[in-house]
Amino acid sequence: GALLVRPDNHGQVSERMTLTADTTLYLHYEESSPEFTMKCTVGGEALGAAAVLERFAHAYSKQTGSPLAPGGLHLRNSRGAAIACGALLPCGLSNGADLFVSVEGPPTADAAPQAAAPAP
């Protein structure tokens, strides 16, 4: 089941960036098992990519029971281009756009021995 995430400050209008309609984005994590998709609706005010990744990590952990550290996560669009953590979503993405969450470095659970990096 996908989670619907709404901005906490719903109803407030930002003078910097006012959106004409809600934009629904779908964040997918497909790098390792369990895979997970979260529906994220951006309405009224832009959301920072870093904040969206934090929500995603929290929802992922809650839904799957597997921890996902928000610090190492990155967003890519459907063409594979990186979206900066400082970007304000929807940043030109169309309604219903798919975004892909990737983890920096190999996943901890089932990393291949040759890809395993020593912990800092």
Side-chain angles (χ1 to χ4, degrees):
L3 261 75
L4 179 65
V5 179
R6 299 237 6 108
D8 299 328
N9 51 2
H10 191 66
Q12 292 182 359
V13 178
S14 165
E15 286 174 31
R16 286 180 296 117
M17 182 167 181
T18 304
L19 305 173
T20 50
D22 285 2
T23 302
T24 301
L25 305 172
Y26 295 90
L27 279 69
H28 307 280
Y29 176 73
E30 300 173 343
E31 287 196 345
S32 67
S33 213
E35 294 184 353
F36 181 68
T37 296
M38 181 181 91
K39 182 178 172 183
C40 177
T41 303
V42 182
E45 201 165 300
L47 286 175
V52 170
L53 283 171
E54 233 168 88
R55 284 184 194 177
F56 183 88
H58 179 73
Y60 180 89
S61 301
K62 194 173 167 183
Q63 200 76 14
T64 65
S66 301
L68 199 59
L73 300 181
H74 299 281
L75 276 180
R76 296 191 178 282
N77 65 19
S78 55
R79 293 188 308 277
I83 294 173
C85 279
L88 289 176
L89 298 177
C91 62
L93 294 162
S94 57
N95 191 34
D98 293 301
L99 294 174
F100 297 89
V101 177
S102 62
V103 178
E104 195 174 34
T108 48
D110 37 35
Q114 72 270 17

